[in-house]
Amino acid sequence: MAEPEKLQNYINGEWRNSKATNFQDVINPATGEILARVPLSPAAEVDEAAQAAAEAFQEWRRTPATERIQYLFRLKYLLEEHFEELARIITMECGKTIHESRGEMRRAIENVEVACGIPTMMQGGILEDIARGIDEFMIRQPVGVCAAICPFNFPGMIPFWFMPYALACGNTYIVKPSERVPLTMQKIFHLLEEVGFPKGVVNLVNGAKETVDAILEHPVIKGISFVGSTPVAKYVYARGAANGKRVQAQGGAKNPIIVLPDADLEMTTRIVADSAFGCAGQRCLAASLAITVGEARHTFVEAIADAAVSRKVGYGLDESVQMGPVISWQSRTRIERLIEKGMQEGAGLLVDGRNPHIPGYEKGAFLRPTILQDVNPASEIARTEIFGPVLGLIHVNDIDEAIAFINSGQYGNMACLFTSSGAAARKFRNEAEVGNIGINIGVAAPMAFFPFSGWKESFFGTLHGQAGHAVEFFTQTKVVVERWPKEWSRQF
Ligand code: NAD
């Protein structure tokens, strides 16, 4: 059998073999096949990328914004041309279904489209005559070399929450993909090469903790965007800030949804099942707890159990499959342990998705949808991020109790409400202490022209990814106060 391909880094406009002593297997979680080997690049390779990006910055920041976005227009068309291939790569390395991968790439492309508006979005402001004969204006300038450190669950989309805006604003860039899913960015960097960005403007460094630490320590790197688990987000935020960098760090989640008795049952069940079990529960916006209020309990529990049992699980490249595997066997074991823990804490196993048999995919890291019922709101399982296809059911008496429970949680990524009452919806969106709200929506993912607004332990920083927040993050403001006495001007 042929040796799996060793992936390269892309630095200063060329593909380079890594001098890493450690390589990690990239495994298709559905088949167990080794797709490639990824280098865990040492600090010296981060340094090469940072130096190349710093050199490229001087010319790139002076390139007119209208010219910079021409590169993004070309990128958009190449992403469209390679759309299907990219979706297949995501499914193969990450496990989600081909439909989910297509959705992911669509979201990535939307960010490129929005960043093409930078000549308008990056504008500053001016006020004439702040005192007699004196004008004051604010301009935005790029920050310098910036970097993204990415998680495994959206290998195509998440770098695009940041990179297109950074580049359009005149920064140069380094992407460090998750070492578990490096193939999507490998392909996208071939497209970036085809776009023809000047050398050093975009760089790819593969790796894990050592590579991340080198990014956090490098004096040339001025801005860091991180997405991943909360403990690592906290670490990246603290260490990056201690080194004088601006950092935006998105963390984990435990997303609750409330079902009121007046909700449309058929619609609610379909949407909640998609949210809880879509992407095998590995979305940072996956519904993890369904809180039924009053009478909703009886109708909803039966319907959601049916939806869980009937979900078709298998290899995501099969168009009829509705749920793929989780990312790895290690992850599957961790999730199964958490299910057991939930049961030890008193929850009942309404639907058991452990140890499934998926014919032909015995090496795959599969679980089927699982539902824990009567989860005690005070138990640990009600607070722990599971990041797998497991939905916990909690029952409360009224919406106030449900909102109080949500607000007592450590995370604040998303909360949703299912109802036909406008008044309940208004109360909920006003009082819930989370950054992304869904009303009769199960995955309240902000479009590219809104910020992805996590709160509490789901986000560390002030400016989020996407759109206007990204423009703020990737620029620094400069204020100019200017006087031109009349007598200095030649009269024409
Ligand atoms: P992770 O924290 O394990 O890894 C994220 C990145 O950090 C990777 O690039 C990895 O190489 C690096 N890393 C891991 N451990 C490190 C360490 N000790 N020191 C330095 N760097 C380290 O996250 P993951 O498992 O890849 O992704 C899943 C997590 O990401 C979940 O918690 C999920 O909720 C979260 N997530 C959040 C959002 C959001 O928008 N808030 C979006 C997607 C995923």
Side-chain angles (χ1 to χ4, degrees), residues 366-390:
F366 287 97
L367 282 162
R368 284 189 191 278
T370 298
I371 300 181
L372 289 169
Q373 68 177 345
D374 300 322
V375 171
N376 178 349
S379 65
E380 217 180 303
I381 202 71
R383 314 265 159 193
T384 309
E385 179 177 41
I386 299 178
F387 222 55
V390 183

Side-chain angles (χ1 to χ4, degrees), residues 150-153 176 179-180 227-229 250-252 284 385 452:
C150 306
F152 80 81
N153 62 334
K176 203 297 283 173
E179 63 278 24
R180 290 189 270 181
V227 181
S229 58
Q250 300 185 205
C284 63
E385 179 177 41
F452 193 107

Side-chain angles (χ1 to χ4, degrees), residues 35-156:
L35 300 170
R37 289 175 59 72
V38 63
L40 305 186
S41 303
E45 286 162 16
V46 170
D47 181 52
E48 284 173 27
Q51 300 299 350
E55 213 177 306
F57 176 63
Q58 293 311 326
E59 184 54 34
W60 185 245
R61 64 167 287 221
R62 291 192 173 81
T63 304
T66 48
E67 263 179 56
R68 291 197 298 255
I69 62 169
Q70 299 312 312
Y71 293 87
L72 295 184
F73 281 116
R74 285 204 285 281
L75 176 60
K76 145 125 178 127
Y77 284 105
L78 282 175
L79 290 170
E80 296 287 4
E81 220 177 284
H82 294 266
F83 187 86
E84 203 52 33
E85 186 186 353
L86 285 162
R88 286 180 68 86
I89 295 173
I90 293 173
T91 293
M92 286 171 70
E93 68 175 350
C94 183
K96 63 182 67 170
T97 70
I98 189 72
H99 305 286
E100 290 163 346
S101 298
R102 289 179 188 131
E104 173 175 351
M105 278 318 300
R106 183 52 55 208
R107 288 292 180 121
I109 292 171
E110 282 165 5
N111 276 286
V112 179
E113 292 165 351
V114 172
C116 286
I118 232 67
T120 306
M121 291 198 290
M122 202 181 157
Q123 287 176 13
I126 180 160
L127 186 65
E128 268 189 340
D129 291 312
I130 48 123
R132 281 183 202 286
I134 299 179
D135 304 329
E136 180 162 342
F137 52 99
M138 185 271 284
I139 52 181
R140 291 185 192 286
Q141 294 193 330
V143 172
V145 180
C146 296
I149 301 164
C150 306
F152 80 81
N153 62 334
F154 283 92

Side-chain angles (χ1 to χ4, degrees), residues 157-418:
M157 176 183 74
I158 285 177
F160 282 90
W161 285 350
F162 314 110
M163 180 168 62
Y165 305 98
L167 296 174
C169 288
N171 303 278
T172 51
Y173 216 64
I174 302 171
V175 177
K176 203 297 283 173
S178 164
E179 63 278 24
R180 290 189 270 181
V181 292
L183 290 168
T184 307
M185 273 299 124
Q186 191 84 176
K187 174 67 196 173
I188 285 173
F189 266 76
H190 279 285
L191 300 182
L192 288 165
E193 184 182 27
E194 205 176 324
V195 164
F197 279 98
K199 62 181 191 170
V201 169
V202 286
N203 303 274
L204 173 71
V205 183
N206 286 294
K209 179 169 171 51
E210 186 184 345
T211 323
V212 171
D213 286 343
I215 292 173
L216 296 174
E217 289 298 320
H218 204 291
V220 154
I221 298 174
K222 304 294 182 209
I224 295 180
S225 304
F226 171 89
V227 181
S229 58
T230 290
V232 185
K234 266 186 192 167
Y235 166 76
V236 166
Y237 188 65
R239 192 155 168 195
N243 286 322
K245 302 175 197 314
R246 51 175 70 190
V247 185
Q248 46 183 193
Q250 300 185 205
K254 180 85 179 174
N255 304 305
I257 60 118
I258 304 176
V259 185
L260 294 189
D262 65 358
D264 175 323
L265 183 67
E266 191 280 322
M267 181 190 79
T268 302
T269 312
R270 184 169 34 82
I271 294 177
V272 173
D274 275 345
S275 176
F277 310 129
C279 295
Q282 298 171 124
R283 284 191 191 112
C284 63
L285 297 179
S288 182
L289 290 171
I291 306 167
T292 49
V293 174
E295 285 307 300
R297 177 186 213 164
H298 309 295
T299 41
F300 179 73
V301 170
E302 202 176 313
I304 194 74
D306 285 348
V309 170
S310 61
R311 205 158 187 91
K312 184 172 175 192
V313 179
Y315 188 15
L317 286 184
D318 174 344
E319 297 272 347
S320 69
V321 159
Q322 295 171 303
M323 191 179 105
V326 295
I327 188 66
S328 63
W329 273 88
Q330 195 187 13
S331 190
R332 177 183 141 152
T333 307
R334 183 186 54 79
I335 295 163
E336 285 182 340
R337 284 210 187 109
L338 285 169
I339 295 170
E340 272 150 37
K341 184 170 176 45
M343 290 157 65
Q344 282 158 16
E345 287 180 334
L349 196 55
L350 179 66
V351 179
D352 185 1
R354 295 170 299 169
N355 275 318
H357 179 60
I358 311 294
Y361 295 101
E362 285 72 17
K363 289 189 182 157
F366 287 97
L367 282 162
R368 284 189 191 278
T370 298
I371 300 181
L372 289 169
Q373 68 177 345
D374 300 322
V375 171
N376 178 349
S379 65
E380 217 180 303
I381 202 71
R383 314 265 159 193
T384 309
E385 179 177 41
I386 299 178
F387 222 55
V390 183
L391 181 67
L393 304 183
I394 289 182
H395 185 70
V396 297
N397 294 317
D398 57 35
I399 188 171
D400 287 306
E401 209 183 315
I403 294 174
F405 169 74
I406 290 173
N407 292 350
S408 69
Q410 70 180 107
Y411 297 109
N413 220 28
M414 180 189 80
C416 302
L417 177 72
F418 288 81

